[in-house]
Amino acid sequence: MEAQKQMDFLRAPPSIGSVIKGGAPVTSMSYHRDGTHLFVTSQEDSKLRLVDCLKGTSDKPAIQCIREGVRLVEPTHHNQCVLFTGKGSKTQPLIQRNAIHYLSLYDNKIMRNFKGHAGEVTDLNMSPVDDTFLSSSTDRTVRLWNVQQAGCLAEMELPSTVDGAPHACFDSTGLVFGITAPMSAGSGHFIHLYDARNYSGGAFAELKLQQSNIEKAIHSKGVAPELAMVLSRSEWTSIKFDKSGKQLLVTGKKGLVMTLDGFDGTITNVFSNPSNTNGELSACFTPDDRTILTGNEDGSIHCWNAKNGNLLRKLEGHTNRVGCIAANPKYAQIASACSNTALWNW
């Protein structure tokens, strides 16, 4: 496996180099920025697994997180420390049940708990430049934290007309972060952009994406009018900036995947697979921003040209729905997961 080799999906597609067996559907998967470690979680069996990307193995036994539960994982700047969150125990108070945990995998020790959310945490996103991180929750709040201190640094004020769970992420420079949230009555979504160095001043850009515009964009891709309307009203499940900061990748339930202009919030592309209408799937940019990868319910992976929206390649290898997908930030490798995790190499 070569570092910085171009990920060519058209002429020389990747093949599966190794498979790490799992016992339950993977719910979260994220590479460390050094590209040598991949962190994988499965909520059903409360396991967190560390994968060696260079060897293609998971040599250490999975960490069992029975008391806390584990659904989401986010690497920190140390390659043996992660943030994770789960549903916790029903016997715990809500704030404890929805806490975020800072874990050292080296000695399997929780070094700090971050309490504040009263609802399930839907996003964890680490700043690429310092020790701050973002969390969003079904309690309709977005919080900013620092891994070095227990209390939250700030809670972002969202419009009173927000009607659902927000989502948040940093851009690749760590200078900007974005927050999206659904507007009332399914009329569209807010997109607010913040200066990470001056977040207390409020959003420097407040954008709105109307449901009618989403519906038109989806229909323009040849999707039937009835399905286009359903997709345009589906709940968003994640947002991600590309490396350049010029595009935002949005995923939603019922198979919604689209890109937005990172400056004005307009829809630039919709990536439609009519067979993905039942669940929440995963998508990501490749590090060069040229390709968007989407997992499918039939176990395949679609590789799309990020600029024109054309399908470049369909990769096959999984027997069940691909619920998580990620691209290695340093090496020519992608990872995909159903219950098993596959590492694809060039």
Side-chain angles (χ1 to χ4, degrees):
M1 183 172 60
E2 297 181 38
Q4 302 300 334
K5 181 180 179 181
Q6 182 177 340
M7 295 182 179
D8 186 346
F9 293 91
L10 191 60
R11 294 180 296 274
S15 58
I16 295 178
S18 57
V19 175
I20 294 88
K21 298 288 185 181
V26 171
T27 53
S28 179
M29 181 170 65
S30 188
Y31 280 100
H32 188 268
R33 62 177 183 170
D34 65 10
T36 62
H37 293 95
L38 177 72
F39 303 97
V40 181
T41 65
S42 48
Q43 178 175 266
E44 188 177 301
D45 59 6
S46 300
K47 288 185 177 180
L48 192 161
R49 196 179 304 276
L50 172 63
V51 176
D52 185 318
C53 301
L54 301 184
K55 295 194 295 183
T57 59
S58 180
D59 297 331
K60 295 182 178 180
I63 293 176
Q64 199 85 38
C65 306
I66 297 296
R67 183 180 61 183
E68 297 84 8
V70 58
R71 188 174 64 86
L72 300 178
V73 64
E74 175 72 358
T76 64
H77 295 293
H78 192 290
N79 64 14
Q80 290 287 324
C81 295
V82 298
L83 297 164
F84 79 91
T85 186
K87 287 190 174 180
S89 170
K90 292 182 179 180
T91 62
Q92 297 172 318
L94 278 177
I95 289 179
Q96 175 62 34
R97 193 187 312 170
N98 297 294
I100 301 161
H101 313 284
Y102 183 32
L103 173 70
S104 168
L105 280 78
Y106 177 76
D107 51 9
N108 191 15
K109 180 181 178 182
I110 291 179
M111 297 182 290
R112 188 164 288 112
N113 295 309
F114 303 94
K115 302 175 186 178
H117 284 299
E120 183 177 294
V121 175
T122 54
D123 288 306
L124 290 173
N125 190 243
M126 191 79 196
S127 167
V129 295
D130 59 29
D131 285 335
T132 59
F133 68 93
L134 291 163
S135 64
S136 59
S137 168
T138 56
D139 65 9
R140 302 184 185 183
T141 67
V142 173
R143 292 173 180 262
L144 182 69
W145 313 79
N146 188 302
V147 296
Q148 303 300 332
Q149 62 187 72
C152 88
L153 300 177
E155 180 180 329
M156 307 305 141
E157 291 187 11
L158 303 180
S160 59
T161 51
V162 164
D163 187 20
H167 294 279
C169 68
F170 283 99
D171 75 349
S172 65
T173 68
L175 299 178
V176 172
F177 62 83
I179 296 175
T180 69
M183 295 189 284
S184 60
S187 57
H189 285 77
F190 296 103
I191 305 168
H192 288 187
L193 302 177
Y194 290 79
D195 183 337
R197 298 162 298 182
N198 188 31
Y199 51 82
S200 61
F204 66 80
E206 297 184 355
L207 313 173
K208 291 183 181 180
L209 182 57
Q210 300 294 334
Q211 177 271 332
S212 58
N213 292 334
I214 302 175
E215 185 176 348
K216 289 176 184 177
I218 296 172
H219 182 49
S220 71
K221 289 294 182 179
V223 177
E226 297 81 5
L227 180 56
M229 183 180 69
V230 170
L231 288 174
S232 70
R233 295 182 180 275
S234 67
E235 179 185 342
W236 289 9
T237 55
S238 73
I239 60 166
K240 300 171 184 174
F241 281 98
D242 69 356
K243 193 171 184 179
S244 71
K246 296 178 180 179
Q247 299 279 313
L248 271 168
L249 178 63
V250 172
T251 63
K253 292 186 176 179
K254 303 184 185 298
L256 175 67
V257 181
M258 60 185 179
T259 50
L260 311 179
D261 186 284
F263 299 101
D264 62 20
T266 56
I267 298 170
T268 55
N269 256 315
V270 176
F271 305 91
S272 174
N273 182 356
S275 66
N276 291 338
T277 58
N278 295 321
E280 176 184 336
L281 299 175
S282 179
C284 71
F285 287 104
T286 53
D288 60 9
D289 292 345
R290 295 182 179 181
T291 309
I292 289 172
L293 309 175
T294 60
N296 297 316
E297 291 180 1
D298 64 2
S300 65
I301 299 166
H302 278 170
C303 312
W304 307 88
N305 183 304
K307 187 174 183 179
N308 59 32
N310 292 338
L311 183 63
L312 300 173
R313 176 74 60 174
K314 182 178 181 180
L315 303 176
E316 297 180 308
H318 290 280
T319 56
N320 295 308
R321 70 182 288 271
V322 178
C324 290
I325 193 161
N328 193 309
K330 292 293 184 182
Y331 296 92
Q333 181 187 78
I334 63 173
S336 58
C338 49
S339 293
N340 301 325
T341 301
L343 299 181
W344 303 71
N345 300 324
W346 273 261

